[in-house]
């Protein structure tokens, strides 16, 4: 197995997901891409003309391996998901309960406490920065459920962008503001300045 640098802390949720799969193949930050078990890989998407530095895992989240080593993980958590084999859903009948949504209840344990939060009340969107010193930091985007118009119910969807190093996590304009607010130790609430709370604004990528 390829591994030239010391591994870091386990990626948030990886240990719990390994228990759900009943195996021991959890990944850690700084893990080499060659160590990813083939049976866990769902897709190798092409991003900005490059294939292979991002891996879509079986549960649907994405791991980023620039230069071959794992630096960030992105989770999209919806209460419902398209049924197996469907890329999208056009009706409630094409949706099913998403078992990974239970991870929302583990944010505090896996991502650490919130140190900064801002809110766009008009669009009902919140962004927060969470930290587990020495292990990981995370940006969480909390927004209205993406499939609520189909299910006719109210839910929340979450994008979780997590990594072990600031240079890979605080890459968007809003995430940099949130981290600065954490460091200023001014309490959790950060005034909203009107900038769109979107995934690119938080993570720096589409």
């Amino acid at each position: 197995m390829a591994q030239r640098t010391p591994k870091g802390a386990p990626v948030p949720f990886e240990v719990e997901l390994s228990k759900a799969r009943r195996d021991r193949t959890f990944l850690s930050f700084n893990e080499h891409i060659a160590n990813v078990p083939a049976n866990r890989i769902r897709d190798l998407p092409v991003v900005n003309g490059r294939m292979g530095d991002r891996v879509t895992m079986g549960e649907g989240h994405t791991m980023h391996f620039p230069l071959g080593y794992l630096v960030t993980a992105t989770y999209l958590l919806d209460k419902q998901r398209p049924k197996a084999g469907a890329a999208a859903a056009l009706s409630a009948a094409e949706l099913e309960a998403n078992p990974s949504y239970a991870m929302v209840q583990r944010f505090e344990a896996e991502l650490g406490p919130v140190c900064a939060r801002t809110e766009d009340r008009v669009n009902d969107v919140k962004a927060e920065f969470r930290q587990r010193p020495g292990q990981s930091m995370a940006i969480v985007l909390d927004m209205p459920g993406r499939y609520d118009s189909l299910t006719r119910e109210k839910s929340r969807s979450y994008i979780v962008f997590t990594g072990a190093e600031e240079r890979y996590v605080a890459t968007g304009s809003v995430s940099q503001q949130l981290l600065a607010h954490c460091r200023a130790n001014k309490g959790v609430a950060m005034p909203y300045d009107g900038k769109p709370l979107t995934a690119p604004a938080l993570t720096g990528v589409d």
Side-chain angles (χ1 to χ4, degrees):
M1 301 285 274
Q3 186 69 55
R4 296 193 303 273
T5 60
K7 290 198 297 186
V11 175
F13 307 113
E14 272 287 288
V15 173
E16 286 299 309
L17 288 171
S18 74
K19 292 177 182 177
R21 293 190 307 269
R22 298 183 179 180
D23 64 31
R24 298 181 180 179
T25 61
F26 65 85
L27 299 174
S28 299
F29 292 114
N30 290 330
E31 190 98 42
H32 194 271
I33 193 169
N35 293 343
V36 181
N39 64 349
R40 290 198 60 195
I41 298 174
R42 177 190 296 182
D43 192 19
L44 295 171
V46 176
V47 180
N48 295 327
R50 297 178 62 188
M51 184 182 76
D53 68 343
R54 284 179 172 81
V55 177
T56 301
M57 310 301 287
E59 296 88 355
H61 56 277
T62 301
M63 302 288 197
H64 188 200
F65 295 81
L67 303 179
Y69 293 89
L70 198 164
V71 298
T72 62
T74 304
Y75 300 83
L76 177 56
L77 301 173
D78 300 301
K79 187 175 181 180
Q80 304 287 329
R81 69 180 183 185
K83 289 182 177 178
L90 300 177
S91 70
E94 297 172 285
L95 294 170
E96 63 183 9
N98 181 6
S100 294
Y101 197 68
M103 295 196 304
V104 173
Q105 304 302 318
R106 293 191 55 79
F107 280 1
E108 195 77 10
E110 298 281 348
L111 306 175
V114 178
C115 61
R117 179 189 292 116
T118 193
E119 179 177 4
D120 175 356
R121 295 181 182 275
V122 173
N123 294 300
D124 192 19
V125 178
K126 305 178 185 70
E128 61 187 29
F129 202 101
R130 290 175 174 268
Q131 289 182 303
R132 292 184 70 192
Q135 296 191 57
S136 67
M137 56 186 66
I139 303 293
V140 179
L141 185 62
D142 173 347
M143 55 195 172
R146 295 193 306 145
Y147 297 112
D148 286 0
S149 62
L150 299 179
T151 62
R152 304 291 180 89
E153 67 175 36
K154 288 186 177 182
S155 67
R156 306 297 294 180
S157 290
Y158 302 87
I159 296 175
V160 177
F161 184 68
T162 181
E165 298 182 51
E166 172 190 334
R167 59 177 170 158
Y168 295 120
V169 178
T171 56
S173 58
V174 175
S175 58
Q176 291 170 358
Q177 288 180 303
L178 287 166
L179 177 57
H181 187 84
C182 288
R183 289 177 169 167
N185 198 26
K186 296 181 179 179
V188 170
M190 185 180 86
Y192 177 56
D193 64 2
K195 293 180 180 178
L197 299 184
T198 62
L202 268 69
T203 67
V205 297
D206 295 325

